[in-house]
Amino acid sequence: MNEIYLLAIEAAAPVPIETLRTTFASDEVRFVPEAEGGGFSIHAEGTRVEVRFDAGTLPGGLRKDLLTGSEESRQLLGRAQGFYRISVEPGTGPQPTVPVFEALWCARTLMEHAPGVLADLTAHKLHDVADVVEITELDFDIRDHVNLHAVEAIEGDTPLWVHSHGMEKFGSRDLEIFHLGEDDLLPAETFLHELCTDLAFGQGPEPRTMVGTSEGQAFMLVPSEEARTNLLGVPLETFEGHEALFLSVVSPLGRHNTAELLRPYRERFIPEPEDRTDALRREAQALMPAFLARFHRKGLMEPLTFLARAPFETHPEGETVVEKLWLEVVAWEEGTLVGKLVDGAVHTTEWRKGAHVEVDAEQVNALAISREGRTLDEEEMRALLNAERPM
């Protein structure tokens, strides 16, 4: 069993076992209390979650130098007097995410009875109760479960070593990639998040096997103890505090030159020209009445999906960044589009994929319609919207 979460609560005593027995009571869950100490185990979905309770000072295992989370969460961690230590066997159950989510549901249930903050010991992240609720209810977002760190390993134009923390709770090694520049950070983050997601669901590539990205570029994953043998100029002290074994992203020839691999990901971060944004916004506003009228006439079994794009603020590292996000429209309420996000924000998890949102119709800057999963081009969409207009 690996300890993956630490729930820090303000109370020095555990929640009464009988209270928890009642809360966890379910046909799908078997609750087994310890003989003493306030601990218990949960058996569900072919997995086992073990929970132990300690009182007193903060247990070891949490890298405070790497810790991320809100200031409120940090303060709560500092005030905590009781600690639930949550362990699972990584990689058990139908697929690797199952034990992780059973542990999260266990933590969420405990937080209903005792205010606290959840520390991910593998990713060095803090989650308040609102985070845990969103993580367990919304679409899976790997950024809730891993942290990416960039370390300046050498001198020059491409000095950065970027690596993940948090994959061990899915029964996988963490990932790493070398020789990146500052301009490579966002593309590398997107690429590594895609790869971590595949690994978390047990669908990642086998080591030493050439595979392709979603954009068609080839690469391999090689165990770090092998891949680092041809890594020149990186002092050994760079890896102090990172003694765990990684999977290194390398070229098909085993080299650490990944510039071509990240090229398509860089293109995703090229800003949309302002004149293009203005043109799309004007067209969206002009088509809005017909778009909404057709949305209201949509048949129950008709394979049409109505999409709108609008600006959403995110705050990476305290800065304000506006991202254009698409939502699937599910309702129209007095000038407001109600829907759920098709994709989450790029820079933070403030706006997660699947989150329900409300957008003022005047803020919409693009519209789209898809039929059976294929997005209609501009002419097709305009023809569809105009087809049923009265003469």
Side-chain angles (χ1 to χ4, degrees):
M1 299 292 282
N2 289 12
E3 188 175 313
I4 62 171
Y5 291 112
L6 180 72
L7 176 58
I9 64 174
E10 295 190 60
V15 178
I17 284 294
E18 289 307 313
T19 300
L20 295 178
R21 189 195 303 275
T22 301
T23 303
F24 281 105
S26 164
D27 292 338
E28 293 80 28
V29 175
R30 183 160 64 94
F31 177 82
V32 182
E34 285 186 352
E36 57 183 24
F40 58 91
S41 62
I42 296 292
H43 301 253
E45 294 288 336
T47 67
R48 184 174 85 255
V49 180
E50 290 188 356
V51 182
R52 293 186 295 116
F53 182 82
D54 292 327
T57 58
L58 182 68
L62 191 62
R63 288 281 302 274
K64 289 187 176 181
D65 58 322
L66 300 177
L67 199 60
T68 62
S70 67
E71 185 58 34
E72 293 82 359
S73 294
R74 292 173 181 271
Q75 291 176 3
L76 183 51
L77 181 66
R79 296 195 304 268
Q81 300 183 65
F83 305 92
Y84 281 101
R85 307 174 75 143
I86 303 174
S87 302
V88 300
E89 190 66 46
T92 56
Q95 48 98 352
T97 62
V98 172
V100 174
F101 274 84
E102 290 300 324
L104 285 166
W105 275 105
C106 179
R108 175 176 170 176
T109 303
L110 287 168
M111 295 170 90
E112 292 174 1
H113 297 283
V117 59
L118 184 67
D120 183 334
L121 300 177
T122 66
H124 314 295
K125 298 171 78 79
L126 293 179
H127 299 294
D128 61 22
V129 65
D131 284 337
V132 177
V133 169
E134 287 194 339
I135 292 169
T136 51
E137 291 190 353
L138 298 181
D139 292 358
F140 182 87
D141 189 329
I142 193 64
R143 294 173 298 177
D144 294 319
H145 307 281
V146 301
N147 252 333
L148 296 184
H149 291 144
V151 175
E152 192 168 306
I154 59 174
E155 296 181 353
D157 295 331
T158 57
L160 300 177
W161 165 46
V162 178
H163 57 278
S164 68
H165 290 286
M167 290 302 295
E168 68 179 81
K169 61 178 169 288
F170 298 109
S172 170
R173 290 188 181 194
D174 277 296
L175 299 177
E176 66 179 6
I177 188 168
F178 289 91
H179 294 315
L180 301 182
E182 289 288 339
D183 293 342
D184 294 319
L185 286 178
L186 283 176
E189 183 178 285
T190 303
F191 166 69
L192 289 176
H193 281 151
E194 284 186 3
L195 192 50
C196 284
T197 299
D198 288 342
L199 290 169
F201 281 94
Q203 300 170 354
E206 292 295 324
R208 309 178 192 85
T209 302
M210 189 178 76
V211 292
T213 69
S214 60
E215 304 288 347
Q217 275 62 36
F219 71 97
M220 289 194 304
L221 294 180
V222 176
S224 57
E225 61 270 31
E226 298 175 25
R228 292 179 184 176
T229 57
N230 62 357
L231 185 65
L232 303 177
V234 178
L236 292 179
E237 56 265 27
T238 301
F239 304 114
E240 291 180 1
H242 296 81
E243 284 77 15
L245 298 176
F246 291 77
L247 288 172
S248 304
V249 178
V250 296
S251 74
L253 297 177
R255 298 173 180 168
H256 294 277
N257 53 341
T258 54
E260 183 62 22
L261 173 67
L262 297 178
R263 180 182 53 77
Y265 295 89
R266 293 189 189 95
E267 295 172 358
R268 299 185 188 184
F269 295 94
I270 297 174
E272 184 177 79
E274 289 188 13
D275 56 349
R276 172 65 174 166
T277 300
D278 289 341
L280 287 173
R281 185 186 59 78
R282 288 194 299 270
E283 182 178 24
Q285 292 299 316
L287 290 175
M288 185 69 72
F291 179 87
L292 292 173
R294 187 62 181 85
F295 169 75
H296 285 301
R297 291 196 303 274
K298 178 178 178 296
L300 184 62
M301 302 300 292
E302 195 173 12
L304 293 178
T305 302
F306 291 76
L307 305 164
R309 192 183 73 174
F312 291 80
E313 280 193 3
T314 61
H315 303 86
E317 300 180 358
E319 298 182 4
T320 299
V321 176
V322 176
E323 297 191 39
K324 304 180 184 74
L325 304 181
W326 286 95
L327 60 125
E328 178 183 347
V329 180
V330 298
W332 165 253
E333 298 176 357
E334 299 181 356
T336 300
L337 290 174
V338 180
K340 64 177 183 178
L341 291 178
V342 175
D343 288 305
V346 170
H347 297 283
T348 72
T349 56
E350 291 170 89
W351 300 102
R352 289 182 170 90
K353 179 180 179 181
H356 285 264
V357 295
E358 296 183 0
V359 173
D360 189 316
E362 294 182 356
Q363 295 296 311
V364 171
N365 55 36
L367 295 172
I369 298 175
S370 67
R371 177 187 283 121
E372 296 181 332
R374 183 183 74 85
T375 301
L376 304 182
D377 62 32
E378 293 181 12
E379 290 187 6
E380 290 173 318
M381 184 176 74
R382 195 175 292 108
L384 175 69
L385 295 180
N386 290 331
E388 300 177 32
R389 281 188 169 183
M391 299 298 291

